[in-house]
Amino acid sequence: MLTRELCNPVSALSIAFNPLFWNIIGRQEYHNKVLTKLFGGRSQTACYALAATIFSLGLIRDGLYERALRHQPSHPLLETAEAQYFAYALIAVGNILVISSTWALGVTGTFLGDYFGILMDSIVTGFPFNVTDAPMYHGSTCSFLGTAILYGKPAGIIITLWVYVVYQIALSYENPFTAGIYAKRERERAAAKGNDKKSR
Ligand SMILES: *[C@@H]1O[C@H](CO)[C@@H](O)[C@H](O)[C@H]1NC(C)=O
């Protein structure tokens, strides 16, 4: 099972490639404004283009994952009615987390807008952020697991563990970086307030 998966590693590579891609591009944008320059100074447009690219890469990754699963052996335990209901529930929870998170943050808030200097006015604390701190990542992981069980494939559960590890690493890079971007804005706001008082 595992060896066959290793012979067909495109799906696993795609899973790791996507967060690597958006973190490298995101930091290049933050430090050197590469995408904004590419789009003639229009950072909003650049962010939308990156969003479309990340979304498409996600579709390709999902397609590769489903194709990889199809060639794996099934396990009867995963094909029981209970397992199948559980799979549907996981996919539903995953989609609710991803869609409600995108709804709450908007397109630029979801797709690295803060790296482009497009910051949220305040931190979003309502649903789904009051049930998980990373609804995009955790929702996506739920969908991977749900799909593995829906297809009845133990190999899919192993790929989901890989997804989980990759996302934990991505979060450990992204969270402190984003927190730093917002902390910088708070310092600038505080400084602006201080100057305001002095000039009065
Ligand atoms: C999360 O917030 C929503 C409203 O935005 C609320 O209905 C829900 O009960 C909250 N959940 C938790 C666990 O606090």
Side-chain angles (χ1 to χ4, degrees), residues 86-109:
F86 183 55
Y88 282 118
L90 277 172
I91 293 170
V93 167
N95 282 322
I96 288 169
L97 289 178
V98 167
I99 292 167
S100 63
S101 161
T102 311
W103 183 260
L105 296 179
V107 172
T108 55

Side-chain angles (χ1 to χ4, degrees), residues 125-131:
T125 51
F127 185 83
F129 293 91
N130 62 354
V131 289

Side-chain angles (χ1 to χ4, degrees), residues 105-173:
L105 296 179
V107 172
T108 55
T110 301
F111 294 101
L112 308 184
D114 18 28
Y115 291 63
F116 289 79
I118 310 166
L119 302 196
M120 307 286 294
D121 286 333
S122 55
I123 288 171
V124 179
T125 51
F127 185 83
F129 293 91
N130 62 354
V131 289
T132 159
D133 57 338
M136 288 303 270
Y137 284 124
H138 293 144
S140 171
T141 309
C142 281
S143 294
F144 270 98
L145 184 58
T147 305
I149 300 172
L150 189 67
Y151 281 61
K153 310 292 188 182
I157 297 174
I158 293 169
I159 299 182
T160 303
L161 286 175
W162 170 240
V163 169
Y164 181 79
V165 169
V166 166
Y167 282 177
Q168 287 306 117
I169 296 171
L171 279 169
S172 75
Y173 272 91

